[in-house]
């Protein structure tokens, strides 16, 4: 814990970060260290899932992510939608690098209720970069990404909705994403049962499935109803009618591979997306608004980069994402948008735009030369 608390340099950095993020308003909230396990398995990317520290059995874990912990509180009604200041710990037990500390201290701000335009996003980026500057950090690289562009591209395809859902969900797991791309592109004829059910009205499909189960003495297992099972089997047949076109797979892989200078990357994305959909055009127009706003505020973006794969570790991001990297490659912090997270956690009963950012005071103190 000495790396997280107690040294003069570290406490000075901590005070500076709190002050910078505090300018965005909101009260500090303390989040429980012990969390329900299932939401983290569902909403964190593969890299984070592998590092979850289970606690007291298979239903609880030590908090591996503060954004999700806060969203869970708001979704359950324990906290209202609003702006929150955070200075807390996360626990990530690396199963690969056993020497890595499983405890991290993070300081930042979460804005639930944020608008969907570039204004709040500009404030978040500026608060983060100003916090770094105030702490004495001048040598770092700002890297951006936008999974929303990938989702908009997928949505523009003439592709069955099941394939779209699978691709969007697996985007945070690159290996699974590649398998889903291959499956969606190379579809074979659906099983005979699926084709038969697909040809029937919904009620007749349900009755046929029920009769089959009774004949074979099969009892449906789990929470799915006969209607759900029949619909899913029928959808399997319909999936084969609208596979992923080869040219669309090429476009999708091209977008996922965009990396380099920020302005060059946006130009490349515009070329790939040309004429595909209004939503893609809207996402790119947003980026030019954001860059104009950041430039007007005096932020130097000459060394800023874009990396389409940056957001693939956390599956709840659905808009712009950014990270700040030290010269040695370590992540000092970052943030982004997760407008759909609250709705997903609450089953659609609550909805809110959301954006936030976090910084690592221990890594910042190390970077500026303090002994931690």
């Amino acid at each position: 814990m000495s790396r997280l608390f107690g040294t003069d340099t570290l406490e000075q950095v901590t005070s500076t970060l709190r002050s910078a993020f505090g300018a965005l308003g909101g009260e500090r909230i303390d989040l429980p260290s012990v969390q329900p396990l299932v939401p983290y398995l569902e909403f964190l990317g593969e890299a984070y899932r592998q590092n979850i520290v289970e606690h007291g059995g298979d239903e609880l874990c030590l908090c591996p992510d503060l954004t999700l912990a806060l969203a869970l509180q708001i979704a359950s009604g324990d906290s209202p939608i609003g702006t929150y200041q955070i200075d807390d710990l996360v626990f990530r037990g690396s199963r690969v690098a056993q020497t890595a500390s499983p405890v991290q201290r993070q300081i930042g701000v979460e804005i639930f209720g944020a608008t969907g335009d570039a204004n709040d996003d500009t404030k978040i980026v500026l608060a983060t970069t100003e916090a770094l500057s105030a702490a004495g950090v001048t040598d770092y690289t700002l890297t951006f990404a936008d999974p929303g562009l990938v989702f908009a591209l997928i949505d523009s395809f003439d592709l069955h909705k099941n394939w779209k859902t699978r691709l969007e969900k697996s985007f945070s797991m690159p290996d699974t994403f590649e398998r889903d791309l291959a499956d969606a592109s190379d579809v074979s004829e659906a099983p005979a049962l699926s084709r038969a059910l697909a040809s029937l009205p919904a009620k007749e499909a349900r009755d046929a499935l029920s009769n089959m189960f009774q004949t074979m003495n099969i009892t449906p297992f789990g929470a799915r109803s006969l209607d759900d099972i029949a619909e899913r089997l029928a959808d399997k047949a319909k999936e084969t009618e609208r596979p992923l076109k080869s040219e669309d797979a090429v476009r999708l892989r091209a977008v996922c591979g965009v990396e380099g200078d920020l302005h060059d990357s946006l130009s490349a994305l515009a070329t790939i997306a040309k004429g595909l959909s209004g939503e893609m055009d809207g996402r790119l127009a947003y980026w030019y608004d954001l860059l104009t706003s950041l430039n007007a505020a005096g932020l130097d973006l000459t060394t800023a980069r874009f990396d389409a794969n940056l957001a693939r570790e956390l599956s709840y991001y659905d808009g712009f994402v950014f990270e700040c990297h030290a010269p040695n490659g370590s992540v000092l912090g970052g943030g982004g948008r997760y407008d759909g997270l609250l709705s997903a956690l609450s089953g659609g009963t609550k909805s809110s735009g959301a954006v936030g950012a976090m910084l690592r005071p221990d890594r910042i103190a190390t970077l500026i030369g303090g002994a931690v």
Side-chain angles (χ1 to χ4, degrees):
M1 286 293 187
S2 61
R3 286 177 49 81
L4 302 176
F5 303 96
T7 69
D8 290 342
T9 301
L10 186 54
E11 290 309 314
Q12 184 177 357
V13 167
T14 296
S15 177
T16 299
L17 301 188
R18 281 181 174 175
S19 177
F21 285 120
L24 296 179
E27 296 182 359
R28 181 180 170 186
I29 186 171
D30 293 315
L31 298 166
S33 295
V34 178
Q35 296 282 326
L37 176 61
V38 171
Y40 292 89
L41 295 176
E42 177 69 20
F43 288 95
L44 297 186
E46 190 63 33
Y48 279 74
R49 287 181 215 165
Q50 293 176 356
N51 294 331
I52 289 177
V53 180
E54 295 185 9
H55 179 80
D58 58 0
E59 296 182 355
L60 301 173
C61 65
L62 296 179
C63 180
D65 184 83
L66 297 172
T67 297
L68 191 47
L70 176 57
L72 282 167
Q73 287 210 172
I74 296 175
S76 67
D78 291 337
S79 297
I81 291 173
T83 299
Y84 293 91
Q85 299 291 325
I86 294 179
D87 180 356
D88 221 322
L89 302 179
V90 296
F91 303 84
R92 296 172 187 162
S94 175
R95 299 175 188 174
V96 178
Q98 295 296 330
T99 58
S101 172
V103 185
Q104 300 176 15
R105 187 178 182 183
Q106 297 184 352
I107 298 173
V109 63
E110 306 280 359
I111 305 176
F112 284 86
T115 61
D117 59 27
N119 291 330
D120 281 328
D121 301 346
T122 298
K123 292 176 185 177
I124 284 291
V125 175
L126 291 177
T128 305
T129 56
E130 288 167 3
L132 288 172
S133 178
V137 179
T138 57
D139 188 8
Y140 65 92
T141 301
L142 193 58
T143 305
F144 292 94
D146 188 354
L149 276 167
V150 177
F151 300 155
L153 179 61
I154 293 171
D155 193 55
S156 74
F157 295 155
D158 180 20
L159 179 66
H160 191 275
K161 61 181 177 62
N162 290 350
W163 292 123
K164 292 183 179 182
T165 299
R166 281 179 59 178
L167 289 170
E168 290 177 3
K169 191 168 184 178
S170 65
F171 176 68
S172 63
M173 300 173 283
D175 291 342
T176 304
F177 184 72
E178 281 298 324
R179 287 197 296 271
D180 286 347
L181 271 176
D183 289 345
S185 302
D186 184 21
V187 296
S188 55
E189 186 177 49
L193 176 59
S194 293
R195 286 185 277 120
L197 292 174
S199 67
L200 298 174
K203 184 179 183 305
E204 292 183 24
R206 179 194 181 284
D207 292 343
L209 190 62
S210 176
N211 291 336
M212 185 188 72
F213 280 4
Q214 290 175 6
T215 300
M216 301 179 68
N217 197 27
I218 296 174
T219 300
F221 178 79
R224 285 187 175 178
S225 67
L226 281 172
D227 288 328
D228 293 334
I229 297 171
E231 182 181 3
R232 184 69 187 97
L233 287 170
D235 267 352
K236 290 296 291 182
K238 295 174 183 176
E239 287 176 4
T240 64
E241 299 171 2
R242 294 172 64 193
L244 181 65
K245 298 175 182 177
S246 58
E247 61 268 27
D248 289 338
V250 169
R251 290 190 186 101
L252 189 50
R253 285 192 172 95
V255 167
C256 292
V258 172
E259 180 181 2
D261 174 83
L262 179 57
H263 293 89
D264 290 346
S265 295
L266 292 176
S267 296
L269 288 167
T271 299
I272 296 169
K274 187 174 181 180
L276 288 180
S277 76
E279 187 176 355
M280 285 286 288
D281 293 340
R283 291 300 310 164
L284 289 167
Y286 153 86
W287 271 99
Y288 291 113
D289 287 344
L290 178 62
L291 297 190
T292 298
S293 181
L294 291 173
N295 282 319
L299 183 63
D300 184 4
L301 295 173
T302 55
T303 62
R305 297 179 58 78
F306 190 95
D307 182 354
N309 287 292
L310 181 68
R312 301 184 78 167
E313 289 188 343
L314 288 172
S315 60
Y316 57 70
Y317 281 121
D318 52 18
F320 102 109
V321 179
F322 71 100
E323 280 186 352
C324 305
H325 297 95
N328 65 0
S330 67
V331 179
L332 302 176
R337 294 201 71 93
Y338 29 92
D339 293 331
L341 179 58
L342 193 57
S343 178
L345 289 173
S346 67
T349 62
K350 294 188 178 182
S351 179
S352 167
V355 64
M358 298 280 183
L359 285 170
R360 291 280 304 272
D362 56 325
R363 290 184 176 176
I364 293 170
T366 298
L367 185 61
I368 63 176
V372 296

